[in-house]
Amino acid sequence: CITHYQQSVAIVGNIETLGGWNVEKSLKMRTEKDIYPVWRVEFQIPAASAPDLIEYKFVKIHDVSNEIEWEPIMTNRTIDAR
């Protein structure tokens, strides 16, 4: 994901771990100088609370203004959690 100075990337989705579609509770990703533009994050989803289908999108967040830019795709990304 290409970002600009003072932007970060997060994942927001339909489960609590991903913020329940609330960007303020989204899961922030991180990058490093030697791997940019690759962003990454590790997380676990409790099996007992996972739906069969996890839906999510990536968002860019401006670190100063908190302006949010949703990724420009029509449908949500999905993970089959069964």
Side-chain angles (χ1 to χ4, degrees):
C1 178
I2 302 298
T3 55
H4 302 287
Y5 178 67
Q6 295 184 328
Q7 279 185 323
S8 57
V9 178
I11 305 173
V12 63
N14 69 328
I15 60 173
E16 186 177 342
T17 304
L18 302 180
W21 292 117
N22 181 341
V23 175
E24 292 178 2
K25 296 180 180 179
S26 62
L27 189 60
K28 299 271 180 155
M29 301 179 75
R30 64 180 180 275
T31 189
E32 297 170 13
K33 191 177 192 179
D34 59 328
I35 64 168
Y36 179 83
V38 175
W39 290 78
R40 61 183 176 189
V41 68
E42 292 182 22
F43 61 95
Q44 294 183 350
I45 302 167
S49 65
D52 289 343
L53 189 66
I54 297 169
E55 297 183 52
Y56 67 98
K57 284 192 176 180
F58 295 104
V59 293
K60 291 183 192 178
I61 303 171
H62 191 282
D63 297 334
V64 176
S65 68
N66 287 323
E67 180 180 336
I68 297 164
E69 180 183 336
W70 289 80
E71 70 175 311
I73 60 173
M74 295 296 292
T75 59
N76 297 331
R77 295 177 184 270
T78 59
I79 298 171
D80 187 341
R82 286 178 265 165

